[in-house]
Amino acid sequence: MSITSKPFGQTADGKQVDIFTLTNNNGLVAQITNFGGIVTSLSVPGRDGKFADVVLGFDDLDGYINEHPYFGAIVGRVGNRIAKGKFTLEGKEYTLAINNRPNHLHGGLKGFDKVVWTSQAIETAEGPALRLMYTSPDGEEGYPGTLTCGVTYTLTNDNTLKIEYDAVTDKATPINLTHHSYFNLAGHDVGDILSHEVMINADNFTPTDKTLIPNGEIRDVEGTPMDFRTPTEIGARINNDKDQQIKFGGGYDHNWVLNNKDGQFALAATFYEKTSGRFMEVLTTEPGMQFYTGNFLDGSNVGKGGAVYKHRNGFCAETQHFPDSPNQPNFPTAILHPGQTYKQITAYRFSTK
Ligand code: GLA
């Protein structure tokens, strides 16, 4: 195993950015930059032993500095949507940027995906690791409290990309960190993800209004296109526009209420791509997972090696607290108080079938 680094460029305000290459004992390779904590490539073998890069992304830093749909990034301070960019905490109303009309999305105009994190490469017994740190000042993007965050990526020798998050604050604040890789287990440049077979370990999901804000209900997946309790192709029901939820999302762009209730590290979902044989399991301590099928991709992002990322060419499995939690009293709380430590662990484990 090894971890090496090289310069990846500079931000407009002159900050030096690096890119790290993590290689495990089986030759899997993850490249991660400290700009946004972005996973820029992830090379894993298929059934025939041939490696493919299974995440969408860009060849250079500018691709990530320019506007793009959160390819590979760490998303924060609050991932997902906050209705109308407003919430009240300890009697005070806070106003955030409306960057996804009419709502706030993924931390605002300059979220954790657009900041430079300090970095430390570590060789652990489990595999090569990269520790990233970022201190978000009080009031940044409208959020209260100085939030000191750490994210540790480990590419383990059992072929898992493990992400451990931690944070502390000096004032009560909402927090909902997640990871936004777009996966295509056939390869990032191969085409749509509709034939992947998906299992989501969830009996319920959180239905939304047409702006993708939950209506507060926890709804049974039974009899709906959201029922992935047995492995089902993504494409099987994704165009069922008689289903109002599918219509609102333009496909899947919803939060599943994972059966994992008590914060244990447990299986959330599996993804299988038959042609290559690649199989990915997602494990998490989080109560929810946004399964997003790249419905907003439209060919306008030209990525690695000139790949054109079209409609549904990648999917995201964003383990998280539920969308709009700060405004939804019956959802698990996403408020971190001084003296508490926020922790979340998510792992993407690769094998073949
Ligand atoms: C998340 C959201 C989607 C979209 C993407 C980024 O998955 O739920 O609606 O905003 O991020 O394009």
Side-chain angles (χ1 to χ4, degrees), residues 23-346:
T23 308
N24 80 356
N25 284 343
N26 309 315
L28 275 74
V29 181
Q31 287 190 297
I32 305 169
T33 169
N34 62 328
F35 180 79
I38 292 170
V39 174
T40 63
S41 75
L42 183 60
S43 179
V44 305
R47 196 191 284 123
D48 59 4
K50 286 205 188 100
F51 283 74
D53 178 0
V54 296
V55 295
L56 280 52
F58 301 106
D59 283 322
D60 55 25
L61 180 60
D62 281 347
Y64 295 105
I65 288 176
N66 297 335
E67 193 158 327
H68 71 98
Y70 305 90
F71 284 154
I74 296 296
V75 174
R77 182 180 299 200
V78 175
N80 218 308
R81 293 176 176 78
I82 297 181
K84 312 242 161 53
K86 285 199 189 300
F87 66 93
T88 299
L89 182 57
E90 297 182 336
K92 197 172 165 213
E93 189 182 68
Y94 292 89
T95 303
L96 311 167
I98 306 297
N99 57 337
N100 187 251
R101 296 227 151 260
N103 303 314
H104 176 82
L105 176 70
H106 290 337
L109 299 176
K110 188 178 177 187
F112 290 6
D113 59 296
K114 293 266 189 243
V115 301
V116 179
W117 298 61
T118 60
S119 56
Q120 188 193 358
I122 322 161
E123 290 200 8
T124 75
E126 276 185 298
L130 179 66
R131 169 90 177 147
L132 299 171
M133 297 286 299
Y134 177 63
T135 300
S136 171
D138 188 6
E140 187 179 44
E141 290 292 329
Y143 291 104
T146 311
L147 187 73
T148 307
C149 304
V151 172
T152 304
Y153 281 106
T154 308
L155 185 64
T156 73
N157 291 322
D158 71 353
N159 299 350
T160 300
L161 182 67
K162 184 169 74 166
I163 314 175
E164 292 166 286
Y165 307 74
D166 56 86
V168 291
T169 186
D170 63 2
K171 278 186 199 159
T173 180
I175 178 171
N176 190 25
L177 304 181
T178 190
H179 176 75
H180 212 293
S181 272
Y182 287 70
F183 296 97
N184 185 331
L185 298 180
H188 76 101
D189 53 356
V190 170
D192 73 58
I193 43 78
L194 297 177
S195 65
H196 285 58
E197 255 176 39
V198 181
M199 185 286 294
I200 305 179
N201 189 10
D203 295 336
N204 296 283
F205 74 107
T206 52
T208 68
D209 66 13
K210 64 174 190 302
T211 77
L212 301 182
I213 294 293
N215 61 17
E217 197 189 326
I218 305 286
R219 189 180 292 172
D220 200 324
V221 295
E222 178 77 39
T224 78
M226 307 293 165
D227 189 351
F228 282 104
R229 290 172 297 183
T230 50
T232 307
E233 282 193 9
I234 294 178
R237 299 162 301 182
I238 198 169
N239 292 320
N240 177 358
D241 52 17
K242 283 196 209 76
D243 183 276
Q244 193 189 44
Q245 289 300 310
I246 288 283
K247 228 166 127 179
F248 287 167
Y252 296 105
D253 193 354
H254 296 81
N255 170 65
W256 270 255
V257 177
L258 299 173
N259 289 339
N260 172 26
K261 296 268 182 288
D262 45 10
Q264 302 230 21
F265 184 62
L267 186 69
T270 65
F271 297 88
Y272 177 53
E273 201 282 309
K274 295 180 263 322
T275 321
S276 65
R278 290 192 188 86
F279 184 65
M280 180 175 84
E281 293 161 278
V282 181
L283 297 103
T284 190
T285 54
E286 288 297 282
M289 187 184 89
Q290 185 90 2
F291 173 47
Y292 168 58
T293 45
N295 311 310
F296 296 124
L297 297 177
D298 60 3
S300 59
N301 296 113
V302 179
K304 292 177 277 191
V308 177
Y309 299 132
K310 298 195 182 131
H311 194 220
R312 299 178 178 158
N313 280 194
F315 67 86
C316 303
E318 303 159 58
T319 54
Q320 56 171 317
H321 273 56
F322 305 170
D324 198 34
S325 287
N327 295 309
Q328 305 267 354
N330 61 333
F331 288 176
T333 180
I335 305 298
L336 180 70
H337 293 275
Q340 297 178 326
T341 301
Y342 168 91
K343 280 197 189 299
Q344 95 105 316
I345 306 175
T346 294

